[in-house]
Amino acid sequence: MIVIGIDPHKSTHTATAVNSANNRDLGSVRIRSSFDDYAQLITWSKAWPDRIWAVENASGLGHHLTQWLVSRGEAVVDVPSTATARVRQLSRGGRRKNDRIDAAAAACVAFSQGDFRPVAPEGQTGVLRVLDERRVDLVKQNGRLVNQLHALLRELFPGGIGRDFDTEDAAKQLKAFRPETQADAMRKNVALEIVGDLRRIQFQIDDLSTRVKTELAASGTKLMKIHGVGIDTAARILARTGDPTRFANEAAFASYTGTAPVEVASADKQRHRLSRYGDRTLNSAIHIVAVTQARTPSSDGYAYHQRKMSEGKTSREAMRCLKRQVAKRLWRTMRDDHSAVSRPCSQAALGSSRTGWRR
């Protein structure tokens, strides 16, 4: 097996072929980030028919090349940059570092340490991630425009207008306003332009919400049956998690989301502290679910939170425990959804002799 490591950059990519049997560098090539050079890379790699590609940070700068390779039937794995740094540190050659060495390090990680994850073509979770990121950007832009409009209205009207105003109220008051100075006339014109921008952004946000609902319905997810998980939260959790089966167990998922406590034991003292690692966006979504459950007496999370409080834990400690339980349930739900989708294909392959599955 020949492993071709890739060190990706924005404008160029460096590939190094390594023999997995003896860790020998078989050659390297540097290409530009273009479709023509991608084709040249495939031509260069045909010297080793039995090959696998190891891309460092395949979800970052190597995303485009990785998906291009996967779409052409190539076997690709994602290697974390921290793992390649560890290989460089332990290998011979001192502190030398260049693109060829980095690409070789990615290949070494893939076949010697197994610190990688297979890359699959982007599916529904990729669509949800694009929609969620776009919606977040629009919501932030909407907030900035609302603040600008408030500032202008405060200068046009004594005390401004109420915080719970809508664009119709603002437009009505602005049209009835008669400016006495050129500056006020300009403020009125700019405020009306902002009102138009707010209407357009709100239309886009509503359209994105509709598209997210459609994608969630097509995915068949049961996340929204969990108390506290709404449409936007479910889309964010699915988008940031991707394939749930890439996590070996619920503990691995909790570590990825930053909901698993970090042990800081010493001698006879056994204690844990809050984890600041993991995907913070996913951690924030889990926090929203946990807070909602903790404040709703009819939810299971409320009873769990109260029980932890009665055991002597502080409110924050009880919330951390609840977030860990929420992460466990989210992962199990996504895993079961994934199994439900893949089960019909597996049953068709096994034939009609097997009638059911045991869990």
Side-chain angles (χ1 to χ4, degrees):
M1 172 67 68
I2 302 301
V3 184
I4 302 177
I6 300 289
D7 181 37
H9 293 275
K10 182 178 180 180
S11 58
T12 62
H13 302 310
T14 301
T16 301
V18 177
N19 190 329
S20 60
N22 53 20
N23 199 21
R24 179 185 174 187
D25 188 333
L26 302 178
S28 182
V29 64
R30 183 185 181 93
I31 65 168
R32 296 173 301 170
S33 299
S34 66
F35 288 111
D36 292 338
D37 283 37
Y38 287 175
Q40 294 178 14
L41 180 63
I42 290 293
T43 302
W44 172 80
S45 68
K46 288 182 179 179
W48 306 284
D50 189 14
R51 62 181 179 267
I52 185 172
W53 302 80
V55 183
E56 181 182 18
N57 191 19
S59 60
L61 292 174
H63 176 265
H64 190 272
L65 175 60
T66 299
Q67 290 299 320
W68 189 87
L69 290 171
V70 170
S71 66
R72 278 148 184 80
E74 298 288 331
V76 186
V77 297
D78 179 17
V79 177
S81 55
T82 53
T84 58
R86 184 169 62 249
V87 168
R88 289 195 306 269
Q89 184 178 8
L90 298 177
S91 63
R92 293 176 296 177
R95 298 181 178 179
R96 290 185 300 170
K97 181 185 183 301
N98 55 44
D99 293 345
R100 182 166 184 168
I101 292 176
D102 289 347
C108 293
V109 169
F111 70 76
S112 64
Q113 300 185 16
D115 192 359
F116 64 84
R117 76 174 175 87
V119 178
E122 289 184 305
Q124 225 152 19
T125 56
V127 175
L128 287 172
R129 183 159 188 164
V130 173
L131 293 176
D132 180 63
E133 290 177 351
R134 174 60 175 164
R135 189 181 185 282
V136 169
D137 291 339
L138 288 176
V139 170
K140 290 180 179 179
Q141 185 177 353
N142 183 82
R144 289 193 295 268
L145 289 175
V146 168
N147 292 335
Q148 294 175 17
L149 183 58
H150 265 298
L152 289 172
L153 294 176
R154 187 177 63 249
E155 295 178 348
L156 291 174
F157 303 101
I161 62 176
R163 297 181 59 183
D164 56 346
F165 78 96
D166 57 21
T167 54
E168 296 299 328
D169 294 336
K172 183 178 180 180
Q173 294 194 39
L174 285 170
K175 290 178 180 178
F177 177 75
R178 295 294 180 264
E180 297 181 357
T181 65
Q182 292 183 351
D184 282 347
M186 184 56 65
R187 290 189 182 98
K188 175 181 177 179
N189 292 335
V190 172
L192 287 172
E193 292 176 1
I194 294 177
V195 168
D197 293 339
L198 285 172
R199 288 172 174 171
R200 175 179 55 83
I201 290 177
Q202 189 58 52
F203 174 81
Q204 292 176 321
I205 292 175
D206 294 340
D207 179 65
L208 284 172
S209 298
T210 302
R211 292 157 70 181
V212 167
K213 289 180 182 178
T214 303
E215 293 297 331
L216 287 175
S219 68
T221 181
K222 296 181 177 62
L223 280 180
M224 288 179 289
K225 293 184 178 181
I226 300 175
H227 188 86
V229 180
I231 295 174
D232 297 331
T233 305
R236 189 161 303 151
I237 291 172
L238 289 173
R240 305 295 298 192
T241 301
D243 184 1
T245 59
R246 65 190 179 102
F247 301 101
N249 48 46
E250 62 193 29
F253 179 72
S255 178
Y256 178 78
T257 60
T259 55
V262 178
E263 185 178 11
V264 285
S266 178
D268 296 331
K269 296 182 180 180
Q270 302 292 326
R271 56 185 296 269
H272 296 78
R273 65 174 176 83
L274 177 66
S275 174
R276 297 292 184 184
Y277 302 99
D279 189 321
R280 305 315 299 176
T281 302
L282 193 52
N283 184 281
S284 176
I286 294 175
H287 182 78
I288 292 173
V289 179
V291 170
T292 304
Q293 292 189 5
R295 295 177 178 178
T296 308
S298 60
S299 68
D300 295 335
Y302 178 84
Y304 179 86
H305 186 266
Q306 293 298 316
R307 185 169 72 250
K308 289 298 178 181
M309 293 278 288
S310 64
E311 294 174 358
K313 295 185 180 296
T314 64
S315 179
R316 289 187 176 183
E317 290 173 342
M319 183 59 66
R320 294 170 193 167
C321 295
L322 178 57
K323 287 177 66 175
R324 177 65 177 82
Q325 296 301 314
V326 169
K328 178 196 300 185
R329 186 174 179 185
L330 290 174
W331 179 77
R332 289 181 176 179
T333 302
M334 289 186 289
R335 180 200 59 185
D336 293 343
D337 291 341
H338 185 273
S339 299
V341 172
S342 59
R343 187 178 299 122
C345 298
S346 301
Q347 289 179 337
L350 290 173
S352 60
S353 60
R354 180 173 295 182
T355 59
W357 293 84
R358 294 181 61 87
R359 294 188 180 181

